Amino acid sequence: MIAPTALLALDTLLTEEEREIRNTVRRVCDKEIRPHVAGWFETGELPARELARTLGEVGVLGMHLEGYGCAGMGAVSYGLACLELEAADSGLRSLVSVQGSLAMYAIWKYGSEEQKQEWLPAMAAGERIGCFGLTEPDFGSDPGGMRTTAKREGGDWVLDGTKMWITNGSVSDVAVVWARTDEGVRGFLVPAGTPGFTVNDIKHKISLRASVTSELVLDGVRLPADAMLPGARGLSGPLGCLNEARFGIVFGAMGAALDCLETTIAYTAEREVFARPLAAYQLTQEKLADMAVELGKGLLLALHLGRLKEAGTLTPEQVSVGKLNNVREALEIARKCRTLLGASGITLEYPVIRHSVNLESVLTYEGTSEIHALVIGKALTGIAAFK
Ligand SMILES: Cc1cc2nc3c(=O)[nH]c(=O)nc-3n(C[C@H](O)[C@H](O)[C@H](O)COP(=O)(O)OP(=O)(O)OC[C@H]3O[C@@H](n4cnc5c(N)ncnc54)[C@H](O)[C@@H]3O)c2cc1C
């Protein structure tokens, strides 16, 4: 027997340091997350503060950023950490992605020195949590239509509007909020508890239940002039952050797929149907082989994009190829694994249905599959089929 990732000897493409980082994150997930995550998913409650501190101690929060208490690791190491986290649950990877690649990255890339000093070291340590408010109730795929405004009043800014579907919202100490101003879209740091700023959790989710998702309401929120991120002008600001987070998903989705496949291979070896192990049937082996092939291809793609990112040449279109393919294939793998688990596949006793419904969110956030197809289509034809 050979493990799905060993089939293509993918470890030979990693450095010793990268393997070590992956193994460390895996150990933490095995100890701190896996034993509890099905319960968190079932109750829809996540001990986000405790988890953030644990993840901060391991050094995965903003691990690909340099300075300010961040670990300054390479893109592949960051991707492998995302893979291990998402093998535990997409909700945990979402917590880390939003903290590191959206909130921290926005401050790191576009913030003033004072903003960086104030927020980044505490966020890297997991003592403070951040969220990223771009989507609105009427504007998801088309953030350029946003209605949230920031208006100057004397030396202050006053923000009004609503952000929707915001990961980490109610557990955040700071929200990076994108708003329309006279000079185009700008980013603002809104500390929790600022008068006029309220956060409501979104209930009744069937997907990403081990993740906090909230609505942010800004009603005349008055902020000092230095709450604005000076380095971000226009939509390229938030889109630059999204590109970082999407990169993590390229690896992360393969983690969810790997967990499904490993679970299913073990299950089919044990489960007897018609007096033989389920794994002994040709139809089963064809499914397992197809899934291992797609997993291997997805991991190779992720590694390739990781090396391009490390070389500083990764383009948004390439990230779209990775996000579109790997989330689509991960979802396909999760669904196929579910069939092999039969009725057991619909319970939380096994992680497969949890990964499957989680991946439905991953398919939609950070750019839907359709939007990534349109980005690739534009690159291929030179014609933008969307604004
Ligand atoms: C669990 C979860 C967590 C999230 N976390 C965050 C967060 O932390 N911060 C944040 O800002 N946002 C977050 N989001 C929001 C997410 O980014 C949006 O849901 C996503 O961008 C899609 O927007 P929408 O839901 O409004 O769908 P819509 O934009 O309304 O899209 C609906 C459908 O129309 C399709 N479509 C859209 N435009 C076109 C077109 N031009 N041509 C063809 N088809 C098109 C889409 O692909 C989709 O299939 C989160 C979402 C979820 C589910």
Side-chain angles (χ1 to χ4, degrees):
M1 275 181 72
I2 185 165
T5 47
L7 193 59
L8 293 176
L10 294 175
D11 268 17
T12 58
L13 300 175
L14 305 178
T15 65
E16 202 180 324
E17 188 189 38
E18 287 163 349
R19 287 198 293 270
E20 223 157 77
I21 289 166
R22 178 198 58 195
N23 295 345
T24 303
V25 178
R26 185 178 296 171
R27 272 197 301 276
V28 172
C29 290
D30 285 345
K31 187 161 171 262
E32 310 283 348
I33 297 172
R34 281 179 193 276
H36 313 291
V37 70
W40 297 332
F41 185 97
E42 190 156 24
T43 58
E45 285 165 10
L46 186 74
R49 292 229 156 253
E50 291 83 340
L51 282 168
R53 261 179 241 114
T54 304
L55 295 165
E57 274 166 32
V58 189
V60 296
L61 302 177
M63 66 184 275
H64 57 308
L65 306 178
E66 289 279 351
Y68 306 97
C70 304
M73 295 288 175
V76 169
S77 295
Y78 171 58
L80 292 168
C82 288
L83 185 150
E84 292 302 328
L85 289 161
E86 194 143 1
D89 192 89
S90 301
L92 271 298
R93 200 268 308 134
S94 299
L95 191 163
V96 171
S97 287
V98 170
Q99 173 86 345
S101 285
L102 293 181
M104 289 176 73
Y105 181 82
I107 299 170
W108 181 85
K109 178 88 178 160
Y110 307 122
S112 66
E113 189 53 35
E114 292 73 30
Q115 289 168 335
K116 292 178 195 187
Q117 296 288 358
E118 180 180 358
W119 292 104
L120 292 179
M123 290 173 85
E127 287 157 10
R128 284 166 150 192
I129 299 179
C131 66
F132 183 89
L134 178 64
T135 303
E136 299 188 355
D138 292 329
F139 299 95
S141 300
D142 177 18
M146 72 173 68
R147 294 203 183 106
T148 299
T149 55
K151 295 197 174 115
R152 277 193 193 277
E153 271 191 28
D156 295 342
W157 287 99
V158 177
L159 272 64
D160 285 284
T162 304
K163 296 291 176 181
M164 194 67 177
W165 304 110
I166 307 306
T167 303
N168 296 351
S170 65
V171 293
S172 283
D173 301 284
V174 64
V176 176
V177 172
W178 300 94
R180 184 179 295 291
T181 72
D182 285 345
E183 45 190 70
V185 171
R186 307 289 312 239
F188 296 86
L189 300 184
V190 185
T194 305
F197 179 41
T198 47
V199 182
N200 308 304
D201 277 343
I202 296 171
K203 303 276 184 202
H204 311 300
K205 285 184 300 171
I206 298 295
S207 172
L208 280 191
R209 290 181 55 77
S211 173
V212 175
T213 317
S214 316
E215 172 198 50
L216 313 181
V217 181
L218 301 124
D219 183 8
V221 174
R222 184 173 287 275
L223 299 170
D226 63 5
M228 189 180 71
L229 296 171
R233 278 176 188 273
L235 265 188
S236 61
L239 294 184
C241 304
L242 290 174
N243 222 34
E244 292 293 305
R246 287 167 181 166
F247 170 78
I249 293 174
V250 177
F251 277 84
M254 287 294 106
L258 174 61
D259 196 49
C260 289
L261 186 53
E262 285 181 338
T263 301
T264 303
I265 290 170
Y267 183 88
T268 58
E270 292 288 318
R271 173 74 177 170
E272 295 220 339
V273 291
F274 298 96
R276 294 181 74 203
L278 180 54
Y281 290 89
Q282 290 178 348
L283 287 177
T284 303
Q285 293 195 6
E286 186 187 36
K287 284 186 185 179
L288 296 177
D290 280 347
M291 291 192 284
V293 167
E294 287 308 328
L295 180 79
K297 283 155 65 179
L299 287 169
L300 280 168
L301 174 57
L303 277 172
H304 175 58
L305 298 187
R307 297 298 176 217
L308 290 178
K309 188 163 168 50
E310 286 173 350
T313 62
L314 184 66
T315 65
E317 295 79 32
Q318 290 165 340
V319 176
S320 286
V321 172
K323 208 253 176 188
L324 175 62
N325 182 76
N326 284 12
V327 179
R328 181 169 66 193
E329 294 309 322
L331 194 49
E332 199 51 43
I333 288 171
R335 286 174 180 157
K336 214 176 260 180
C337 285
R338 220 288 304 151
T339 66
L340 284 164
L341 265 64
S344 300
I346 69 155
T347 73
L348 285 174
E349 189 180 339
Y350 297 93
V352 174
I353 192 78
R354 180 165 51 78
H355 284 307
S356 183
V357 294
N358 280 342
L359 286 165
E360 295 289 347
S361 284
V362 181
L363 193 71
T364 286
Y365 70 22
E366 304 287 348
T368 65
S369 293
E370 292 79 5
I371 292 296
H372 288 294
L374 292 175
V375 170
I376 298 166
K378 181 181 166 199
L380 294 174
T381 62
I383 305 168
F386 65 117
K387 276 189 290 168

